[in-house]
Amino acid sequence: MFRGTGPAHAARSFHDATSSIPTVSSPYARSEAFTDPRRKQTIISLLDVLSELSNEVSADSDANLPSNFEDDRDVPTVDEKLQVAGSESFNKFEKRIDNLDKELRNFANAARQLGSSVGILSSAFRLRERLTKLLFLFRENAATLFPRKISRQPRETLVNPNLMDRRRTWRGQQPPLRPIHDDGLDPESFPGQFASFAEDVVTFLNCLNEFPEFTDEAVNTSMRAFEVDLKYWASCLQEYKGQFRYPAVQRYIHDLTSEIGEHIDNITVNLSMFIEIGVPTIRFAQQHAAANLLNLSTVATFFSAVTATTLQFSYQLTDGVLEKSVNAFWFSSLVFSIASAVNSLLDLTWKQAMYRSPGHRVPWWVLIWIKRSPLVFLVMPVTCFSAGLMLFTYATNQGFVTSTITTVFTAVTSFGLAAVSAWFASERWIFVQHRSHVWLEDVINEATHRMLLLSAFVESQKIIYYCNQGILAIRGLIYPLCAEYTERLNSLDAPASEESETSRRSIARQRFKGAVRSVIMMQQQQAGQTPLYLRPFMPPRTPSFDRNSTTGMSPTRFSSIGLNTIRGQRVSTLIPKLKTLEPLQELTNHTALVRHLQFSPNGKYLATSSWDRSSIIFRVGESFSTQAVLVHVRGFIGQVAWSATGMILLTRLTRGIKVWTEDGLCKRTIDRPHSVSSIAWLPNSETQFFSVEGSDVFKLDTQGKVLDSYHFGRIQLHNVAVTPDGQRLLGVGPLLAAPNGLHPSRTTRVEKRIIVFNIETRTFENQTPVVNDVRDITISKRGGNVLISFERKTPPQLWKMELVRDARGQPYAQVARLLLRHTYLPKAQVDFAGSSYFGGKEDQLVLCAGKSGDIHIWDRDSAALLHYIRPQTFGGDLTCVAWNHSTDEPFMFATGSHDGTVRIWTTPAGDRSSDDASYLERRTDAGVSDQSSPILSPPPVPGSSRREKAPTIRTTFSIGPG
């Protein structure tokens, strides 16, 4: 776990580390430096010992030492598992790119046989070339992050894949391959490449939709979604201009390979189905259209031959008007039939040409002439020939029967031809207007129905009027007869009506009795119910926003094998102690899920919040006791936050904040107009805190007055943390929209960011993109370590915050920058519960709980898993965890669960001076407790009057400030 290459390298590493300490000018560095003289002397002594040992090492041993890395992308600081996982992720992405390139190549080969395929072939070639460029950029990015697993690709080998497929021998020689024009292929070109990739995808899709014979909605949906996401990523990445060589941005780009790979897989599968089904369908439709045109050309040719034959009998008849009309019609028929045959062949040739232009790039009159002229020119010669044949019978003085029959048959066939042509034209118009949602028959029926309704309505009004007049006249005549007949019937049906009236009364009486009985039962149930505000209630689970107010940062950074050796000795002493952790006490006061819990900074109290609408303050001791129960009548408690001295407690509601004392007295209720997602105290303040509400952060005091506000633009903050000096505010949350207003598709996750905001200058010093859903952010108590917690199964990460010179501002101005140091990996995949926290002395541990009840404890600096607590049989699913920072002997932390149980974990205490004194008193006597807090009194012993005192229950019903 801790690797070393020799005392010489360790000595040099220690020398570099210790020599950099006095030269640090940042205030955070001075706070992190070895200010203790004894500690510094110990390190110097150890350095001397290592220097003496280095003299005994052979001179050639330095050649076997690993290279010294000076930036955050160095190999020793990256865990081997992350190296393997990163390389596997890239290899999977590369395989997906290769599969799509293969399908595009197969599609190009299959589409060569189709008409008008030059557009789709050209777009497929451009798409393949774009994939090659993107793969090269992603490989360069992965090789920078994982140099031991991913090798770089020489730019000389970056060859256009389309040229490789088209290599042909000429005179026994192969032409040399020309590389891709790689100008601009650097990390800064990622946004432009994504935008160009989106354009190439849309161009390919538009060319694909140019084939009206087949349309695949799956291909359209997958490519449209990919286009939206590519434009979204390109717009978001534009904001990181000049930062694409930073490790944080490089990791974000590498994480995008999973999202891009899923889109590529969908397109690959849909494209493969299109090749198997769509291409044969298009080919069959085009062949069918070609056969129709051939048949049309054949019919036109045959008809022209018939017309030319009949002209031999009439071309010499030029005496009268009829004879001239016959020749005019038949000559016109011959001309139109020849034009129909020629245009049919022209249309056939144009449809089968692979280089023909798409339909939307051809003038409308050209399309109409090519597509409509063959059929129109065939109908016109038939009409002219029929008219000429009819006139020919009269011009040649044929018999009456012959002339009449020819005229009648010509009129009937002409009418049928005109009717069918009109029907075809109407169907075409209906299709254009309604897009095949309505048929021509439906339109005709609807129009006919409207006409009938219009005429029938007028006639029905007249009929109803005359009927009413007749009914009034008849009523006056037959009314006396009807009255007499009705009286006779009533006299006969009187017994039956009395029986029915009796049955109706009995049914009504039974219903009344049942209603009275139901009301009595409801009153009895309500009399035995508990009050509504003490009744447990389980609303839907919402994300957790837990806090840790201890903060700090340092710009010093160095990694050496010698320090790892000392760190290994320190870790080896922690492991036996962590193995002694055991549950001390179970607190079952809550009746519903425990949402959040936190120890006070002075270690006197533990505050919890639950979905039973109550928050409880426990007094910490050998045996925890209830200090106060804080009942909230309205809303659910999402978070508790202690002030720096532990004398003021804040409870966060959905749209409000309550201010409590340590004794459970509600000082004020602060109502907010928007939903409050997080609260955080200002460092060393008892009156001021931050309230996170959407994209705004408000600075409030305990009286509810708004002191200041900060707007974070398009970022919806989930949680914030404040640096110890109060100069910077760190926040995490998703991006509401891209700079150009775009949103990702439904299957793609939005971009999340870690923000470093300077409170004094009101500027964003650093924005770090992440792919996974962020949950919480915590800053270490003294160091510049930032702990980021994620949702679900993503492990927590440790980021280093350092101060660097601001190249954009004043020469001596400094800005903060975040650098990823560690990812804390569990033994197996875990669904994490709540947020992760620092623990131990000087925040040397990282603590996180799983939903199944397991607990993981890592070493902060080495990311080594020191202790793993398996799920307990007596414990339910965990929801949150909190560490007691006021004591290092013994270790203590608390966990909350779904069933409302709060469990206290601790290590056995080493020295117990008195059974009646709590460990807090011993910490105070040893001078370890906080000097600013009052002396803590021991908890009441069993049997004493203080122990028998009932806990204080504070219930507030006030709505406004109180």
Side-chain angles (χ1 to χ4, degrees), residues 432-448:
V432 172
Q433 294 295 325
H434 301 281
R435 294 297 179 183
S436 72
H437 295 291
V438 179
W439 298 103
L440 178 59
E441 183 183 6
D442 298 333
V443 176
I444 295 175
N445 292 336
E446 183 179 359
T448 305

Side-chain angles (χ1 to χ4, degrees), residues 268-524:
T268 303
V269 172
N270 294 328
L271 196 59
S272 176
M273 295 296 296
F274 190 89
I275 295 174
E276 295 178 3
I277 301 175
V279 172
T281 303
I282 296 173
R283 186 184 299 113
F284 173 78
Q286 291 184 353
Q287 291 176 354
H288 180 70
N292 291 336
L293 290 174
L294 286 176
N295 295 333
L296 192 63
S297 176
T298 302
V299 172
T301 304
F302 173 78
F303 199 79
S304 64
V306 172
T307 305
T309 303
T310 56
L311 274 174
Q312 296 178 3
F313 300 97
S314 64
Y315 76 96
Q316 293 180 352
L317 302 176
T318 58
D319 298 336
V321 177
L322 290 177
E323 290 79 359
K324 293 180 181 180
S325 299
V326 169
N327 289 329
F329 277 113
W330 281 358
F331 274 110
S332 300
S333 176
L334 181 60
V335 171
F336 283 131
S337 60
I338 294 175
S340 177
V342 173
N343 280 279
S344 298
L345 295 177
L346 180 63
D347 190 10
L348 176 63
T349 305
W350 186 74
K351 285 183 177 295
Q352 291 182 344
M354 65 174 295
Y355 52 81
R356 69 178 172 91
S357 302
H360 67 279
R361 296 184 179 274
V362 179
W364 62 271
W365 59 271
V366 176
L367 285 178
I368 292 178
W369 182 269
I370 293 177
K371 293 183 177 180
R372 303 287 179 255
S373 62
L375 183 59
V376 173
F377 286 164
L378 184 60
V379 172
M380 293 180 66
V382 171
T383 305
C384 293
F385 181 82
S386 300
L389 184 62
M390 181 185 63
L391 296 177
F392 183 73
T393 58
Y394 292 101
T396 56
N397 296 321
Q398 299 294 326
F400 176 77
V401 176
T402 303
S403 301
T404 304
I405 291 176
T406 303
T407 303
V408 171
F409 286 170
T410 301
V412 171
T413 55
S414 299
F415 175 78
L417 183 62
V420 172
S421 300
W423 181 268
F424 286 167
S426 300
E427 284 184 334
R428 175 68 180 178
W429 183 80
I430 292 298
F431 173 78
V432 172
Q433 294 295 325
H434 301 281
R435 294 297 179 183
S436 72
H437 295 291
V438 179
W439 298 103
L440 178 59
E441 183 183 6
D442 298 333
V443 176
I444 295 175
N445 292 336
E446 183 179 359
T448 305
H449 183 64
R450 288 180 180 178
M451 295 178 61
L452 292 176
L453 284 180
L454 183 62
S455 59
F457 180 74
V458 176
E459 297 296 332
S460 63
Q461 281 185 338
K462 297 180 180 179
I463 294 174
I464 292 173
Y465 175 75
Y466 290 120
C467 289
N468 288 335
Q469 296 296 329
I471 290 173
L472 291 176
I474 297 173
R475 181 179 178 183
L477 297 176
I478 66 174
Y479 180 75
L481 297 176
C482 293
E484 182 180 358
Y485 181 74
T486 303
E487 290 178 358
R488 292 180 180 179
L489 290 178
N490 290 337
S491 62
L492 294 175
D493 296 339
S497 62
E498 291 178 358
E499 292 178 0
S500 62
E501 183 68 22
T502 304
S503 62
R504 286 195 298 269
R505 291 180 179 178
S506 62
I507 293 174
R509 188 179 299 107
Q510 292 178 0
R511 290 181 178 176
F512 179 74
K513 290 182 179 179
V516 173
R517 188 179 297 108
S518 300
V519 171
I520 294 174
M521 294 177 62
M522 292 174 61
Q523 291 178 350
Q524 291 177 355

Side-chain angles (χ1 to χ4, degrees), residues 4 27 54 62 94 119 154 216 218 274 348 362 368 503 576 586 684 697 773 811 850 948 952:
S54 65
D62 290 338
E94 185 180 21
D216 192 350
F274 190 89
L348 176 63
V362 179
I368 292 178
S503 62
E586 290 186 2
N684 302 322
V697 177
D773 298 330
E948 294 175 356
T952 304

